[in-house]
Amino acid sequence: MKPCETAGMRTDPNPNGSEFSLLVEYLAYQRETVLFKTEGLTHAQLVSKHPPSELTVAGLLAAGGELDGGAIQRAA
């Protein structure tokens, strides 16, 4: 794996891996990206709505966590 050039903590998925390892690495990459982008947000920022949507950042993170876990369970 090679380090991502845009953010030091992310690692690009290995394109030569198995389907399962690519899925796991891709989800880890996306998880690290979300953590990088949301680090330092206050509680007020996490729960504020962003019109015209009723979604909050905290809601998106919760939904993403559920999808992430479900993808791994289905692939295993």
Side-chain angles (χ1 to χ4, degrees):
M1 293 185 199
K2 65 178 184 163
C4 178
E5 295 176 8
T6 58
M9 64 185 239
R10 298 186 308 172
T11 302
D12 291 330
N14 178 0
N16 299 316
S18 69
E19 184 176 355
F20 183 75
S21 68
L22 283 172
L23 173 64
V24 171
E25 290 177 21
Y26 177 77
L27 290 173
Y29 180 86
Q30 293 303 318
R31 192 179 311 109
E32 291 165 359
T33 300
V34 170
L35 289 172
F36 176 73
K37 299 281 186 178
T38 58
E39 183 178 15
L41 291 180
T42 65
H43 181 266
Q45 290 171 315
L46 288 169
V47 298
S48 65
K49 295 180 180 175
H50 302 278
S53 174
E54 291 293 310
L55 294 175
T56 65
V57 174
L60 289 171
L61 292 174
E66 290 175 18
L67 291 173
D68 187 2
I72 295 293
Q73 287 176 355
R74 284 188 298 278

